Amino acid sequence: MIYVVAIICVIGIAVGQILFKLSAQSLHRTGNFFDMGTLTLLFSAFALYGLTTIAWVWVLQKAELGRVYPLMAMAFVLVPIGSYFFLGERFSPQYFIGVALIAAGIVIAVRS
């Protein structure tokens, strides 16, 4: 159960990063920090980060940091994937090779 919550935290962090990027794009598009769309995206990201942080503290109560922290590296995999699909960002093949190496490192670290 602890690892499930830890993975949910990582997914929350990754989604939060996408929301921060969307709020930055909205701010750039509108030029108005107080635009409702911009504020909605920004505060959604803040709320998600806050909830994720509370859940992460719970995870750290139950598990050793050295055991669960490698899972946070999954954010380095999930954010580029999300930015590719939701933001239309493009990456070179070498970039995806690096992401695959990170994923392999996560698997090795968690299994140890």
Side-chain angles (χ1 to χ4, degrees), residues 5 20 24 29 32 41 46 51 60 62 66 78 87-88 99 109-110:
V5 174
F20 279 130
R29 186 175 52 257
N32 182 0
L41 289 166
F46 286 153
L51 290 171
L60 293 179
K62 307 292 182 187
L78 296 176
L87 302 171
V99 169
V110 170

Side-chain angles (χ1 to χ4, degrees), residues 5-6 14 20 27 30 34 46 49 55 58-59 68 70 77 83 86 88 92 100 109:
V5 174
F20 279 130
L27 176 61
T30 65
F34 297 104
F46 286 153
Y49 259 58
W58 179 83
V59 168
V68 292
V77 175
S83 68
F86 297 108
S92 68

Side-chain angles (χ1 to χ4, degrees), residues 76-100:
F76 292 111
V77 175
L78 296 176
V79 171
I81 291 170
S83 68
Y84 177 83
F85 286 109
F86 297 108
L87 302 171
E89 295 181 2
R90 302 289 178 234
F91 302 99
S92 68
Q94 293 90 342
Y95 187 86
F96 286 108
I97 292 169
V99 169

Side-chain angles (χ1 to χ4, degrees), residues 95-111:
Y95 187 86
F96 286 108
I97 292 169
V99 169
L101 290 171
I102 291 170
I106 294 167
V107 170
I108 292 168
V110 170
R111 288 184 157 210

Side-chain angles (χ1 to χ4, degrees), residues 37-49:
T38 302
L39 286 176
T40 300
L41 289 166
L42 185 60
F43 284 110
S44 295
F46 286 153
L48 187 56
Y49 259 58

Side-chain angles (χ1 to χ4, degrees), residues 1-6 9 53-69 71:
M1 177 66 173
I2 295 166
Y3 283 98
V4 171
V5 174
C9 288
T53 299
I54 291 167
W56 186 250
V57 169
W58 179 83
V59 168
L60 293 179
Q61 284 181 324
K62 307 292 182 187
E64 294 177 18
L65 179 61
R67 291 272 185 216
V68 292
Y69 193 71
L71 294 174

